[in-house]
Amino acid sequence: MQRAPVLLFLAWVCFLFFAAIGLFTSGFLLMRVELANRSSCQDPPLASPLEGTGAPLRSCWLPRRFPKAVLVIIDALKFEFAQYDSSRQEPRPYENKLGALHQLISLQPQHARLYRFRADPPTTTMQRIKGITTGSLPTFIDAGSNFASYAIQEDNLIWQLAQNGKRVVFMGDDTWDGLFPRAFFRSYFFPSFNVKDLHTVDDGILQHLYQTVDGGEWELLIAHFLGVDHCGHKHGPDHPEMAKKLSQMDEMLRSLVDHLANDTLLLVAGDHGMTGTGDHGGDSEEEVNAALFVYSKAPLFQSDPPKAPETVPQVNLVPTLALLLGVPVPYSNIGEVMAELFAVADDAISSALAQLAAYSINARQVSRFLHSYSLAAQDISAEKLQHLQDLFSAALEEHEWLSAGARSPALPQLEHLQSLFRRYLWEARAVCAASWARFHLPRMLAGCALLASACVLCYVASHVASGVDFPYGRLLLCPVLSGLAGAALLGLAHLCGWAGTDPALLSAWGAAASQLGFFWLWWTRRSRRSHAGSARPPSGDAGLRQRLWAALPWGILLARCSAMLSDSFVVAEARVAPFLLLSLVLLLGLQLHWEGRLEGSPFPVRLLGLLGGLLACVRLSGLFQQCREETPCCRSSPLLAPLSSLPDPQAKNFYYVLCLAVLACLAWGVRCWLSHYGNLNSPGAPVLFVRWGFPLLAVCIGGYWAITSGAEEALVKLHEWVRLALAAFPRGIFGLVLMGLLLVLWDPVTVFVRDSREPQVMGAPVVSPSSQAELLHVIPQLYRRMQQSLKSRLEEAKAGGSATVAAYGLGSVYSAALLISLALLGFLLVTLHSERLSLAFLLLSLEAFVLLRMHACALALSSSQADPFVVPWYAIIAWAFAATQFFYATGHQPVFPAIHWNAAFVGFQEGHETNLLPALLVGANTFASHILFAAGCPLLLLWPFVCEMPPTPKSKKPKVDPHDREEQMMEMRLREAPERFSAALLQLGLKYLLILGLQMLACVLAAIVLRRHLMVWKVFAPKFLFEAVSFVVSSVFLLLGIGLVMRVDCAVSLWFKQVILAQSR
């Protein structure tokens, strides 16, 4: 059997897909160019900014208005949380809780004001921090680094304050530590990633806030509270805990106002909002509408507040706060100053002049940035730059004309000039937002073409692999060498300065060169064999019907891929995927009926029962789906919530017992299967682990659920014990799963041989092989000898004799190792989900079993025509559809707010030192169904052999003795033709990669065609990212699953050698 070449060939094909996805991603999700330029007092955007202004000392560009400012960031402070509506008789838990803000606005309208603080998507915390400190717009791809917290290299408000002698004190979310390392005069960081922790960060801030304010050793104090955001993630906004947390923030603000000096500016802001489920990350109105509250004990505003709060983009905070504190505006800022805060208490003309000065500096700074940016990048077209320059020049000329006038300008003239500057700043920001969403179309097209050619390669290679003379060495070595040569040429061109490159382009170039090498070899080989005889497909009506039936599964797959171009389909895919799966299975039944294979056989009733079971699993799996925000009429399943959210103790106990029963069913099902096929009799370590380790795993998971299902108040009372158990139980589960997997790899042969007395010679003796070829010839003989010996033992047992040799579990040795491994992975993945989702994993197991049984029955009915070494396309497509179906049936959606971040803290309540482990845990939670179905893909090849039975006769004959079924070779038939076994595994892997690759190609085409669609960043871009990650995860676990089968094959060969040597002595 060719083991290493098969795995290497599949790994190479996976690399081709990865390179194509990477190249497309580099053109689709672009990051804008970050300039290294920094603003300074010595290099102002205008010639003499302080001339005639009477600026105080330590001011820069514009006289400072406040010597100190306090910025309180309440994470996820939605505008509705800060708004007060006295007409509500029964407010919801998040309404009317910040009464301090309403009281200040009502009693001191010249001192306080509330704004809608509009965030730019993506609405993740790190991107919002970048926005409110740099004044720029983070791009979409930054969302992927939300928990990596790469240090900000651009000019920013924190750096400007530190460079100009201002002391910045920070307390709260430790994300700031990664963004601004060693940038604060004093800091108090608290871990932020644990979304279940509502109090650690907030309580830590309150311990230092008031004494720090009273100490006065600061010019800017930043306090970033996280409790509201974490409460939204854990409970949602409409929960009593949210009312408690907002009331705590209200008390904090009341106390903070009492500690403020008269010359201190208070800013209370939310970095983003939250959806009705407490999530964020997208661009819905609920997520982008945060709140901004501005207050000072000195008068701030010269006019009464408007009836409806104004909307202020978050980037506007940066130039406003910088000029108010007397420091330069960060170089890359594209925000607009909040002119109201620059009005003075004198007459209207003086206020307009002060506001105009702020506008002028702001516009000059933005113009300087655009000029520098246009030299460093080509993102903004020359026409748009010229249009912006014309607007700026017109405003500047009028400003200079008014400044040169002998008389003081009239108020309408000043207001008109302000409107010119506002228009320029608004259009500059709009142009930047549109330009930074530009795509690198050549890379996108090249990545799409490379992905399409990889799919064609998979199809071609799967057909070539069906032959026993598949040239592994040539079809693998030559493409790899050509790919390395292509990558080396591009690298040499880069070193010589002839061409620029990056890792994505380099890998894509190598992948393209290696594909050319493969297709050249395939074409030359095909030309040489073009005159060789081959079996012709059936002709006439029968051949046409056969081709039409074979094309129907492809038609369903094509329908799914084509529908990726519809945002409505992507939104409704959770309901469409099960429908397509059922349609595919029904077509299989219709095909069997149409071809007359069900007549005179016992299979119709069995198939009908299996179809009913599949329908039940599909329908019940719909009870565990989460709704997207685009479907307001939909309600997410209450079964997704953890048991701790249930207020009724009886309901909680009922679901807890039900979940324990699910664990028992999963462990019992695997044990029964192993017992049925004789693998449970093996004395090997994996079987011992199944006997004792599986119950222990179930006990550990049940104990963990018993703790997490308690109310939060109860957990606080048992603080130390709970903390120990919350870490010990999951880590014990992780350790047991790892131990079980290592035992399967170490000793995967679950076979039991009983030799009760000296073996009787039954035919010619088995000679000890001297070579691998002889071993492959001897193994089937030995297996038949064992079967004959077992049959002899049964016959002697009836006559009162004794047995000689008995072998148990050899016919299912491959499937047994794979099922044990899948069960271990299942226990691990169940632990990473909420308790009641274990019911979804039970449905997943049942549906996979039903699909395998239906596949085995279909092959048994067509045994005269079908090659058992070739898995038909309908089975692989159905398997891939089931993986997609249970992605949604485990409470996931291809959007960032739907990610189950709680999985990162299963067993690690105190947080993580690195980002690798939480990323793995969250990834395993999100793509659990893809992991299980990809790793279990070899079962599609093995299961029909395990369920092997004699061909069904057309007429009734006497029943066969049940013991005669032991004579079937089952999985040992695979070892009769080791080369075909290798080719079958390779073909199966290539077919599965092709199905996944076609779905990936559909997402890529949708992203290219609809890149200017209104929903591209809301629907198509997240769908592409999730599909790309799921493809990578599925590819890795497909390789691991096939690798495990090959490890079992290697161990079986060694086991046979030992048996043969023992028999030859």
Side-chain angles (χ1 to χ4, degrees):
M1 180 181 185
Q2 300 283 349
R3 301 187 186 100
V6 170
L7 284 178
L8 289 176
F9 195 92
L10 289 174
W12 170 66
V13 173
C14 291
F15 164 75
L16 300 180
F17 281 107
F18 297 166
I21 294 172
L23 182 63
F24 177 84
T25 303
S26 67
F28 181 54
L29 302 178
L30 291 175
M31 292 185 67
R32 62 178 176 84
V33 176
E34 294 185 353
L35 301 182
N37 307 55
R38 296 183 183 271
S39 301
S40 66
C41 290
Q42 293 74 27
D43 185 22
L46 66 164
S48 53
L50 299 181
E51 184 177 355
T53 59
L57 296 177
R58 303 183 68 183
S59 290
C60 183
W61 291 14
L62 198 69
R64 75 181 184 190
R65 186 171 182 185
F66 292 96
K68 294 186 177 184
V70 176
L71 175 60
V72 176
I73 299 177
I74 301 178
D75 208 292
L77 182 63
K78 193 176 178 179
F79 179 77
E80 286 74 10
F81 294 177
Q83 192 177 31
Y84 196 91
D85 187 359
S86 57
S87 63
R88 289 193 174 273
Q89 300 297 327
E90 297 181 359
R92 302 173 75 172
Y94 60 83
E95 293 178 333
N96 295 351
K97 294 300 181 293
L98 297 180
L101 306 185
H102 174 69
Q103 184 177 358
L104 291 172
I105 295 172
S106 301
L107 300 180
Q108 304 179 56
Q110 308 300 317
H111 297 250
R113 192 149 298 178
L114 180 65
Y115 299 91
R116 289 185 182 269
F117 204 35
R118 191 169 183 85
D120 296 292
T123 51
T124 48
T125 296
M126 192 190 78
Q127 282 65 46
R128 294 299 85 237
I129 294 175
K130 286 184 176 182
I132 61 179
T133 55
T134 65
S136 189
L137 302 177
T139 52
F140 183 84
I141 197 171
D142 282 332
S145 58
N146 186 43
F147 299 102
S149 300
Y150 301 113
I152 294 178
Q153 303 298 327
E154 276 187 306
D155 192 10
N156 57 80
L157 187 60
I158 306 300
W159 188 89
Q160 286 293 342
L161 288 166
Q163 286 297 113
N164 289 276
K166 311 291 186 182
R167 295 165 295 183
V168 183
V169 176
F170 178 84
M171 53 187 69
D173 184 354
D174 62 353
T175 303
W176 290 72
D177 186 27
L179 294 174
F180 306 101
R182 299 180 299 277
F184 300 106
F185 176 74
R186 186 181 300 118
S187 58
Y188 306 95
F189 297 115
F190 303 97
S192 61
F193 190 63
N194 189 355
V195 293
K196 290 186 177 181
D197 185 358
L198 309 185
H199 308 292
T200 298
V201 177
D202 294 0
D203 293 346
I205 295 174
L206 295 176
Q207 290 178 2
H208 303 282
L209 179 60
Y210 306 121
Q211 61 184 17
T212 303
V213 171
D214 296 337
E217 295 183 352
W218 51 274
E219 275 71 41
L220 176 64
L221 190 153
I222 304 174
H224 190 158
F225 292 87
L226 282 179
V228 172
D229 178 69
H230 286 189
C231 184
H233 284 296
K234 185 175 182 180
H235 301 291
D238 204 3
H239 192 276
E241 286 296 327
M242 182 62 75
K244 295 180 183 178
K245 184 51 65 176
L246 289 174
S247 298
Q248 183 189 27
M249 295 295 100
D250 184 67
E251 295 175 5
M252 176 272 297
L253 291 173
R254 292 180 187 274
S255 301
L256 180 59
V257 169
D258 294 338
H259 285 79
L260 291 179
N262 293 335
D263 59 352
T264 302
L265 176 68
L266 172 64
L267 299 162
V268 181
D271 58 341
H272 52 75
M274 68 171 62
T275 64
T277 58
D279 300 312
H280 58 89
D283 61 351
S284 68
E285 286 298 315
E286 291 181 316
E287 294 168 281
V288 299
N289 274 326
L292 173 65
F293 175 77
V294 182
Y295 172 78
S296 173
K297 291 186 176 180
L300 268 178
F301 306 98
Q302 305 305 312
S303 60
D304 294 330
K307 294 182 179 179
E310 298 179 19
T311 299
V312 176
Q314 283 190 351
V315 291
N316 291 8
L317 180 65
V318 174
T320 303
L321 190 55
L323 295 179
L324 288 176
L325 293 176
V327 298
V329 178
Y331 194 91
S332 299
N333 164 73
I334 59 171
E336 174 188 340
V337 292
M338 299 168 62
E340 287 181 307
L341 299 179
F342 293 89
V344 295
D346 300 331
D347 56 274
I349 298 291
S350 300
S351 293
L353 286 172
Q355 293 172 341
L356 187 59
Y359 273 127
S360 175
I361 293 175
N362 190 189
R364 292 170 189 265
Q365 169 265 318
V366 172
S367 177
R368 183 175 66 176
F369 163 71
L370 290 177
H371 175 71
S372 301
Y373 189 84
S374 64
L375 297 177
Q378 308 300 321
D379 293 349
I380 306 176
S381 65
E383 293 80 8
K384 291 182 179 179
L385 285 173
Q386 185 60 47
H387 173 68
L388 292 175
Q389 183 61 38
D390 294 342
L391 291 176
F392 177 70
S393 299
L396 197 61
E397 287 177 5
E398 185 166 344
H399 187 211
E400 292 176 350
W401 180 78
L402 287 178
S403 301
R407 296 183 303 173
S408 115
L411 184 60
Q413 292 177 311
L414 295 176
E415 290 177 346
H416 174 69
L417 183 55
Q418 288 182 22
S419 67
L420 291 180
F421 280 123
R422 280 199 302 269
R423 180 186 175 189
Y424 167 73
L425 291 170
W426 184 87
E427 291 201 18
R429 180 176 177 272
V431 165
C432 289
S435 300
W436 290 336
R438 289 185 64 188
F439 308 99
H440 196 297
L441 193 56
R443 288 201 173 200
M444 294 173 65
L445 293 175
C448 181
L450 194 61
L451 190 61
S453 63
C455 291
V456 174
L457 186 145
C458 275
Y459 184 79
V460 170
S462 66
H463 278 271
V464 177
S466 60
V468 294
D469 57 343
F470 183 77
Y472 294 95
R474 293 183 58 198
L475 287 181
L476 179 61
L477 182 60
C478 185
V480 170
L481 291 178
S482 60
L484 291 176
L489 287 176
L490 183 61
L492 182 62
H494 175 69
L495 293 177
C496 296
W498 300 334
T501 187
D502 54 67
L505 187 60
L506 191 65
S507 60
W509 188 271
S514 64
Q515 286 193 42
L516 289 176
F518 173 86
F519 284 120
W520 177 78
L521 272 178
W522 167 73
W523 184 259
T524 56
R525 183 174 181 268
R526 180 176 179 271
S527 300
R528 286 195 299 266
R529 301 185 58 180
S530 59
H531 300 291
S534 58
R536 295 183 178 181
S539 59
D541 294 340
L544 179 61
R545 286 199 304 269
Q546 184 176 350
R547 288 192 293 271
L548 287 176
W549 282 114
L552 284 177
W554 284 98
I556 294 178
L557 178 63
L558 180 62
R560 179 178 188 269
C561 292
S562 302
M564 292 290 185
L565 294 168
S566 167
D567 59 330
S568 300
F569 171 83
V570 176
V571 171
E573 191 179 18
R575 299 192 301 273
V576 177
F579 169 77
L580 293 177
L581 174 62
L582 286 175
S583 301
L584 182 61
V585 175
L586 285 174
L587 283 175
L588 172 62
L590 289 175
Q591 179 185 1
L592 295 175
H593 174 71
W594 185 275
E595 296 176 352
R597 300 181 187 176
L598 299 179
E599 296 179 3
S601 71
F603 287 109
V605 177
R606 184 179 302 176
L607 282 174
L608 188 62
L610 292 173
L611 184 59
L614 179 64
L615 179 61
C617 291
V618 169
R619 296 294 295 175
L620 290 175
S621 67
L623 300 176
F624 301 90
Q625 292 179 3
Q626 184 174 0
C627 296
R628 295 174 63 118
E629 62 187 28
E630 295 89 348
T631 54
C633 297
C634 178
R635 293 292 179 267
S636 296
S637 171
L639 297 175
L640 301 178
L643 290 181
S644 59
S645 63
L646 292 178
D648 186 4
Q650 292 183 350
K652 183 181 297 186
N653 293 335
F654 169 76
Y655 279 115
Y656 177 73
V657 173
L658 185 61
C659 294
L660 292 182
V662 168
L663 289 178
C665 287
L666 291 173
W668 176 80
V670 176
R671 182 177 177 129
C672 284
W673 189 93
L674 295 174
S675 176
H676 176 73
Y677 287 102
N679 300 93
L680 199 63
N681 296 314
S682 171
V687 173
L688 292 178
F689 190 87
V690 171
R691 290 179 177 274
W692 305 106
F694 277 22
L696 185 58
L697 275 171
V699 169
C700 289
I701 297 175
Y704 177 65
W705 287 347
I707 296 175
T708 57
S709 62
E712 185 178 0
E713 293 77 8
L715 297 181
V716 172
K717 293 179 182 179
L718 302 175
H719 182 68
E720 294 299 331
W721 287 105
V722 168
R723 178 175 297 182
L724 177 62
L726 286 177
F729 276 123
R731 293 183 186 184
I733 295 167
F734 299 156
L736 286 172
V737 170
L738 180 60
M739 180 189 301
L741 292 175
L742 291 177
L743 289 175
V744 172
L745 287 176
W746 174 55
D747 184 19
V749 180
T750 54
V751 177
F752 174 61
V753 177
R754 175 181 295 175
D755 191 358
S756 59
R757 60 183 177 85
E758 291 298 323
Q760 299 177 357
V761 178
M762 303 174 65
V766 178
V767 182
S768 178
S770 59
S771 65
Q772 181 69 19
E774 291 186 10
L775 175 65
L776 296 176
H777 177 69
V778 166
I779 285 175
Q781 297 183 30
L782 181 62
Y783 183 74
R784 287 194 176 93
R785 179 70 57 80
M786 290 181 174
Q787 294 288 359
Q788 293 172 4
S789 180
L790 179 60
K791 184 178 180 180
S792 175
R793 177 177 68 89
L794 293 172
E795 293 174 352
E796 291 180 6
K798 295 177 181 179
S802 58
T804 57
V805 179
Y808 299 91
L810 194 57
S812 56
V813 63
Y814 296 101
S815 300
L818 199 54
L819 279 178
I820 294 174
S821 301
L822 290 173
L824 290 170
L825 288 176
F827 282 122
L828 174 63
L829 297 173
V830 165
T831 308
L832 297 178
H833 288 75
S834 60
E835 299 91 343
R836 287 181 286 182
L837 279 176
S838 59
L839 298 168
F841 280 90
L842 178 62
L843 293 175
L844 184 152
S845 304
L846 293 175
E847 184 171 316
F849 174 77
V850 169
L851 289 175
L852 290 172
R853 291 292 298 179
M854 294 186 74
H855 168 49
C857 290
L859 281 185
L861 287 169
S862 57
S863 58
S864 59
Q865 302 176 11
D867 184 357
F869 285 84
V870 177
V871 180
W873 285 106
Y874 71 81
I876 302 176
I877 295 175
W879 199 252
F881 281 2
T884 302
Q885 172 205 342
F886 276 98
F887 169 78
Y888 295 101
T890 49
H892 297 98
Q893 285 282 349
V895 288
F896 294 110
I899 296 177
H900 300 176
W901 298 110
N902 294 340
F905 302 98
V906 176
F908 300 91
Q909 299 295 320
E910 302 300 325
H912 301 271
E913 296 181 358
T914 64
N915 295 307
L916 178 60
L917 184 57
L920 292 176
L921 293 175
V922 173
N925 172 282
T926 305
F927 303 103
S929 64
H930 297 88
I931 290 173
L932 292 174
F933 279 97
C937 190
L939 290 174
L940 293 173
L941 173 64
L942 303 174
W943 206 265
F945 291 95
V946 174
C947 301
E948 186 180 62
M949 56 192 66
T952 304
K954 293 285 183 178
S955 59
K956 294 183 180 180
K957 291 188 177 180
K959 291 185 177 181
V960 183
D961 192 288
H963 298 299
D964 290 343
R965 290 187 59 182
E966 295 293 335
E967 297 185 11
Q968 299 299 323
M969 293 284 290
M970 298 172 64
E971 289 181 349
M972 285 300 102
R973 287 183 59 193
L974 295 166
R975 295 196 57 88
E976 283 190 314
E979 296 302 325
R980 294 195 66 192
F981 190 14
S982 303
L985 286 173
L986 176 61
Q987 189 180 46
L988 174 63
L990 290 171
K991 286 183 175 181
Y992 196 71
L993 288 175
L994 175 58
I995 302 303
L996 299 180
L998 288 174
Q999 296 177 160
M1000 188 74 246
L1001 180 61
C1003 289
V1004 166
L1005 288 173
I1008 292 177
V1009 175
L1010 304 173
R1011 62 187 183 278
R1012 294 300 180 188
H1013 193 277
L1014 178 65
M1015 306 295 286
V1016 61
W1017 299 119
K1018 193 177 187 65
V1019 175
F1020 296 109
K1023 175 61 177 175
F1024 162 74
L1025 288 177
F1026 276 80
E1027 199 73 29
V1029 177
S1030 69
F1031 180 90
V1032 174
V1033 171
S1034 299
S1035 302
V1036 171
F1037 279 89
L1038 174 66
L1039 291 175
L1040 292 176
I1042 294 177
L1044 177 60
V1045 173
M1046 294 182 172
R1047 170 69 185 99
V1048 177
D1049 185 76
C1050 180
V1052 169
S1053 297
L1054 295 176
W1055 181 85
F1056 269 117
K1057 284 183 179 180
Q1058 294 174 0
V1059 172
I1060 293 171
L1061 291 175
Q1063 196 178 50
S1064 62
R1065 291 192 184 101

